[in-house]
Amino acid sequence: MSGLKQVAYYGVAMLVLKGLGFLMLPIATRLLTQQEYGSLNFLVTISAVCSLLLSLGLPELLFRQHYQDDNQKIAFFRDCLLVSIGVCFAFLIVVLVFTQSITNLLPGNVGLTNLRLLAVNLFASSVLAIPYSYYRLVGNAKHYCYLAVVHGVFQTGLSIGLLFMGFGVTGVMLSGAISASLVLIAALWLLIPLIKKTLTQFKWQIESRHLLFLTSILISSLCLYASNGAENWFIVALEGERALAVYFVAAQFALMTSFTFEPIRMWWFAKRFDVLANEPNEYGYMALRSLNLGLILCALMMVVVPVIFKVTLPASYYGNDMWLTGLILVVVLRHHSDIFNIACYKYRNGVWVTYINAISAVLVVSMFSWLIPIYKVDGVVSSLLLVQVVRCFAFILVSQRLEYVDYRFQSLFIVWLSLGALTCLSYIQPTFIYAYQAVIIVVLLVIVAKQYSAEVTQCIKHLPKRGAYV
């Protein structure tokens, strides 16, 4: 399957999944009180940090390996799947046995039933991440798309039904547990016949030398969470669940920007190590092309997101509109870090990623504890922006020192300039702001289309043509 078709399938999956997720926002904010919605979001926060722990870095290990043939690739996937099932099952048993003790340690008001349902969801979702990663690795975007869309549609439909029936937060937790478990069963049913072929041909593939890489990725992911989710714990502890509800909604709308880039990211991250190894002269151009596409999407979303926010949500969730712009700029900086960090993952088992993310984590947590009690959500946004700037430059400098890549940074200038202009307009709020924004977007698209004219022409040629009827 060509790269363009893979991106299209990933795009469909992300569009459906995130579209369903944002469809839930106006429904949940109307059927739940702010206190209940804040409690639901805190459960999502707990899920995020537990997912990082339960992933163990296995998806990254799958992508990083070089395989001699397809059967070896399947065997490595087999072993990652078995490790994931073992660890996630142990986690499920611990949570079910010690539910009361765990809830006593958590801030906010977390129900016992909701925590147990969350544990079941985490078990199934974390194991399911391994089959999803395998489909990405082998370029089978079609199966990935089918499973992900079925998962999202079923969970969303069940959640909405249970909410209207009055089950509240417990209904949302129950829908997540049921849908993740059923999709996991379907994924294993499809892949187990493939795995059986390698049972006698290949011995255990995961070796002790892989443990350092997995450890560094795991620690790095937890440190990364500090600048992408840890603020929710501070807000709940210092401001309460109502304040978290308002902030979380703004953060979700800002994350729409990140989701638009996800299809490109999924395609590029699954192949970038091979490109660097086999076509090093082309790597810089291809990486910047991916980043430019992501930044154009950020510019478009900087215009669209504030409008959608005000149209879809109840007035009680309106906050400072500047939060949205600031949080979108945080996404912009993360895109830069993700694209320019290749050598940090390639050398010394990814330990540089751990160092940079650990320093960023310490810095952002320190700023949260200092600024949130004084400036509340404004302190959150300011902390995230500053730390992402530091993290971005650290990844660029260290990665380039480990292995120099010829990036033509000047190709990013027009996108940076456009993002800066849109940011200024959002703060100034002049008359006819939408006209100014439209002019900036049109000029940006024309210049970037000219810059990548060969790719644009190729995409146009691959568009389906309407047949003639005789």
Side-chain angles (χ1 to χ4, degrees), residues 1 5-10 12-13 132 135-136 138-149:
M1 186 183 295
K5 287 185 178 179
Q6 290 183 53
V7 171
Y9 273 112
Y10 291 138
V12 170
Y132 280 161
Y135 284 136
R136 290 173 58 193
V138 299
N140 194 344
K142 183 184 293 186
H143 280 186
Y144 174 94
C145 180
Y146 291 163
L147 282 174
V149 168

Side-chain angles (χ1 to χ4, degrees), residues 22 252-262 294 297-299 301-302 305 328 331-332 335:
F22 286 107
Q252 289 300 104
F253 272 84
L255 281 176
M256 288 175 67
T257 308
S258 179
F259 297 150
T260 57
F261 181 59
E262 195 65 15
L297 292 171
C298 287
M301 298 303 286
M302 197 174 284
V305 165
I328 290 173
V331 173
V332 168
H335 287 345

Side-chain angles (χ1 to χ4, degrees), residues 311-329:
V311 169
T312 58
L313 293 181
S316 59
Y317 283 87
Y318 294 173
N320 190 332
D321 289 347
M322 297 303 101
W323 298 349
L324 285 173
T325 301
L327 291 171
I328 290 173
L329 289 176

Side-chain angles (χ1 to χ4, degrees), residues 211-248:
L211 296 180
L212 180 59
F213 177 79
L214 292 175
T215 303
S216 65
I217 293 300
L218 183 59
I219 296 174
S220 175
S221 298
L222 289 173
C223 293
L224 184 60
Y225 174 79
S227 58
N228 186 26
E231 71 272 17
N232 296 335
W233 296 79
F234 281 88
I235 294 173
V236 168
L238 297 173
E239 300 295 328
E241 291 166 335
R242 290 178 179 270
L244 176 61
V246 177
Y247 169 76
F248 190 87

Side-chain angles (χ1 to χ4, degrees), residues 207-461:
E207 302 174 2
S208 58
R209 61 187 177 89
H210 296 131
L211 296 180
L212 180 59
F213 177 79
L214 292 175
T215 303
S216 65
I217 293 300
L218 183 59
I219 296 174
S220 175
S221 298
L222 289 173
C223 293
L224 184 60
Y225 174 79
S227 58
N228 186 26
E231 71 272 17
N232 296 335
W233 296 79
F234 281 88
I235 294 173
V236 168
L238 297 173
E239 300 295 328
E241 291 166 335
R242 290 178 179 270
L244 176 61
V246 177
Y247 169 76
F248 190 87
V249 167
Q252 289 300 104
F253 272 84
L255 281 176
M256 288 175 67
T257 308
S258 179
F259 297 150
T260 57
F261 181 59
E262 195 65 15
I264 300 168
R265 185 182 186 276
M266 292 175 70
W267 168 75
W268 175 240
F269 273 49
K271 65 179 294 182
R272 62 177 184 158
F273 287 101
D274 286 337
V275 173
L276 186 62
N278 301 321
E279 303 175 82
N281 294 331
E282 295 295 321
Y283 182 86
Y285 176 81
M286 294 178 68
L288 285 175
R289 183 181 61 190
S290 299
L291 179 58
N292 261 322
L293 288 173
L295 298 185
I296 289 172
L297 292 171
C298 287
L300 290 169
M301 298 303 286
M302 197 174 284
V303 175
V304 173
V305 165
V307 178
I308 300 175
F309 184 87
K310 292 181 179 179
V311 169
T312 58
L313 293 181
S316 59
Y317 283 87
Y318 294 173
N320 190 332
D321 289 347
M322 297 303 101
W323 298 349
L324 285 173
T325 301
L327 291 171
I328 290 173
L329 289 176
V330 170
V331 173
V332 168
L333 293 167
R334 285 178 188 155
H335 287 345
H336 284 76
S337 299
D338 289 343
I339 292 295
F340 295 131
N341 64 10
I342 181 70
C344 295
Y345 280 94
K346 181 179 177 181
Y347 292 95
R348 295 186 62 187
N349 288 305
V351 72
W352 279 106
V353 179
T354 304
Y355 292 156
I356 294 172
N357 285 338
I359 294 171
S360 301
V362 172
L363 179 60
V364 77
V365 170
S366 301
M367 294 190 69
F368 284 159
S369 60
W370 173 38
L371 294 179
I372 292 178
I374 302 173
Y375 301 106
K376 299 183 180 179
V377 177
D378 289 331
V380 172
V381 177
S382 301
S383 301
L384 292 175
L385 278 170
L386 178 60
V387 171
Q388 288 300 326
V389 169
V390 173
R391 181 171 174 270
C392 176
F393 278 103
F395 269 122
I396 293 173
L397 294 174
V398 174
S399 185
Q400 287 293 85
R401 188 172 182 85
L402 291 172
E403 180 173 348
Y404 177 78
V405 177
D406 184 18
Y407 295 116
R408 305 288 179 90
F409 289 105
Q410 61 269 25
S411 66
L412 297 172
F413 176 75
I414 185 61
V415 188
W416 288 339
L417 185 63
S418 301
L419 288 168
L422 291 171
T423 301
C424 292
L425 286 175
S426 67
Y427 278 90
I428 297 172
Q429 291 289 319
T431 308
F432 307 117
I433 181 174
Y434 296 119
Y436 294 135
Q437 290 174 332
V439 170
I440 292 171
I441 294 297
V442 170
V443 171
L444 172 63
L445 292 175
V446 169
I447 293 176
V448 174
K450 184 177 180 181
Q451 181 180 346
Y452 295 106
S453 58
E455 286 84 350
V456 172
T457 302
Q458 184 179 7
C459 288
I460 293 174
K461 289 181 179 179

